[in-house]
Amino acid sequence: MPIPAPHAERMPRSGIRAVMDMAWQMQDPVIGLHVGEPSFATPGHVLDAAAGAYAEGRTRYVPNAGVTELRDAIAAKLRKVNGIESAATERVIVTAGGMQALQLGMTAVVGAGDEVLIPDPGWPNFAMLVQLLQAVPVRYELRPENGFRPDPADLARLVTPRTRAIVVNSPSNPLGTVLPGETIERLVAFAREHDLWLVSDECYEEITFDGPHVSPAVFDTDDRVISCFSFSKTYAMTGMRVGYLLAPPELAPVCAKLQEPLVACVNAPAQVGALAALTGPQDQKAVARETYRERREAATAVLDRAGLPYQRPEGAFYLWVDVSDRSGDDVTAWAVRLLREQHVAVAPGTTFGPHGEGWIRLSLATATEDLLEGIQRILRCR
């Protein structure tokens, strides 16, 4: 029989999903600290709008780039909230979640054999996507002594004639770091100096605790920043699969064209729900943010008392914890043992790259009681 395409077969599976599968198969209840799933319900007005669209029969094809009303609202939001004055409806492409925004943007600019700089530790889907495009992921290290922030000098040493793009993620999954404006500006200047595309993952933009989120596109003077956003985390719409891409003017028509062989168009009623999310009440965002902040304080207080090191998150809803004192040189094996012995599921650090060895990611999106009980069980697993 024919064999799978080699690049598809080589693409590694997400370690987060692997843990999820093991947790689902266990008979006893598992405390799940491994998945970034908001603990809040999708706002009622969002559900009502999507249900109304179904009831009205709005289930036909829509434009590849998305319905005009939603694209208009997104462009207005990007100007008002993100400060991207050049954001225009024509530059906005509605996507099937933030992941497909990344796929669409990278598909438009990265080809086979190209190199893409990705963060390490960083979301595993970055490397997976690059490999799926038959390109080469080149990891740039984010070190604890630098506050897990990128060092432009380190980046420059990784650039070769084949380097095509750099991926920047702020607020960071899994680290919770929020890059300050001056760092973002230096990264855009780095991309300009080396003539690279800058692909910006901003899916956690609304979840920051100690400072504002800054979009790289604010500093884009020559149309090289591709910005990726999502409704999933901000509005607890993970399963509705709506995100969006802000592309440079000359790239936007290419991205819209690429939607046809990828998804044709995003679910029309879900787009109606997304429009309601943007234009309706926004109070849940502040409630969620404060809840995640409270969970951060409660969780880190337990870790402080136990003397377990961690990276204090400035945004997103993850806690990056150093368990090297108990995991040895194989944090993945330790995470499996934790699941089997203590019935707690965590994301092992090596899922996010080789420099995640000895660390785990915990989700602050989990109910507070479960989060604190899960940490107590982690402390018992040596």
Side-chain angles (χ1 to χ4, degrees):
M1 61 174 283
I3 63 172
H7 68 280
E9 203 164 35
R10 283 195 304 268
M11 189 196 79
R13 186 166 185 242
S14 168
I16 303 169
R17 283 283 177 175
V19 170
M20 188 184 304
D21 285 348
M22 285 187 281
W24 278 337
Q25 292 168 8
M26 296 186 66
Q27 293 183 345
D28 295 326
V30 170
I31 294 177
L33 306 181
H34 56 304
V35 180
E37 181 84 54
S39 56
F40 298 89
T42 306
H45 65 280
V46 173
L47 299 177
D48 290 343
Y54 277 112
E56 294 165 11
R58 298 182 64 176
T59 55
R60 304 293 185 177
Y61 286 126
V62 296
N64 292 134
V67 298
T68 301
E69 301 94 326
L70 178 57
R71 294 171 71 206
D72 285 343
I74 290 170
K77 173 263 178 186
L78 289 169
R79 292 190 296 269
K80 180 180 178 181
V81 176
N82 300 86
I84 306 172
E85 296 179 5
S86 61
T89 299
E90 294 74 20
R91 295 180 56 194
V92 173
I93 315 295
V94 181
T95 61
M99 182 62 244
Q100 201 247 321
L102 288 163
Q103 180 201 27
L104 181 61
M106 288 234 239
T107 299
V109 300
V110 174
D114 287 342
E115 295 176 350
V116 179
L117 304 181
I118 63 170
D120 179 5
W123 190 36
N125 293 36
F126 297 144
M128 294 166 68
L129 173 58
V130 172
Q131 289 176 269
L132 195 59
L133 295 173
Q134 301 187 60
V136 181
V138 177
R139 300 177 185 273
Y140 61 88
E141 184 181 357
L142 302 175
R143 296 191 293 272
E145 59 268 27
N146 290 343
F148 290 103
R149 290 180 167 84
D151 183 336
D154 289 345
L155 293 172
R157 285 191 285 270
L158 298 174
V159 175
T160 76
R162 294 198 301 166
T163 309
R164 182 72 168 164
I166 177 172
V167 175
V168 174
N169 177 210
S170 176
S172 164
N173 172 14
L175 303 168
T177 51
V178 177
L179 299 181
E182 54 269 27
T183 301
I184 294 288
E185 187 172 14
R186 284 201 303 271
L187 290 170
V188 175
F190 166 83
R192 187 180 303 119
E193 178 185 356
H194 296 280
D195 196 23
L196 306 178
W197 294 98
L198 189 151
V199 180
S200 176
D201 177 0
E202 304 178 48
C203 289
Y204 296 90
E205 57 166 336
E206 297 276 7
I207 307 171
T208 62
F209 308 126
D210 305 314
H213 165 69
V214 179
S215 294
V218 169
F219 304 108
D220 187 16
T221 58
D222 56 353
D223 297 331
R224 65 179 62 253
V225 174
I226 301 168
S227 307
C228 304
F229 300 86
S230 176
F231 285 86
S232 294
K233 313 300 183 180
T234 302
Y235 296 102
M237 293 170 56
T238 52
M240 294 181 73
R241 309 311 304 137
V242 187
Y244 54 97
L245 180 79
L246 180 69
E250 292 187 5
L251 191 66
V254 177
C255 291
K257 177 181 68 175
L258 289 174
Q259 282 288 70
E260 180 62 29
L262 293 176
V263 297
C265 61
V266 174
N267 177 304
Q271 292 193 56
V272 175
L275 178 61
L278 268 188
T279 58
Q282 303 293 305
D283 50 301
Q284 181 170 307
K285 293 193 299 185
V287 172
R289 186 185 306 114
E290 288 310 305
T291 300
Y292 298 142
R293 186 199 305 273
E294 291 170 4
R295 289 174 184 165
R296 177 188 70 170
E297 298 308 314
T300 55
V302 175
L303 295 174
D304 284 338
R305 288 194 294 271
L308 203 62
Y310 58 87
Q311 167 69 13
R312 183 175 178 81
E314 303 158 330
F317 44 57
Y318 301 110
L319 188 56
W320 189 242
V321 181
D322 183 350
V323 294
S324 56
D325 68 329
R326 62 202 63 213
S327 65
D329 295 324
D330 192 345
V331 72
T332 298
W334 179 85
V336 170
R337 182 160 62 86
L338 174 71
L339 178 59
R340 289 173 176 164
E341 294 179 1
Q342 299 292 334
H343 300 140
V344 177
V346 300
T350 46
T351 293
F352 305 95
H355 289 99
E357 182 58 71
W359 297 77
I360 56 173
R361 189 197 72 176
L362 309 182
S363 173
L364 299 176
T366 307
T368 306
E369 183 178 350
D370 287 342
L371 172 64
L372 297 181
E373 173 60 24
I375 293 175
Q376 292 294 345
R377 296 187 191 185
I378 288 168
L379 296 174
R380 294 200 292 266
C381 187
R382 301 196 66 92

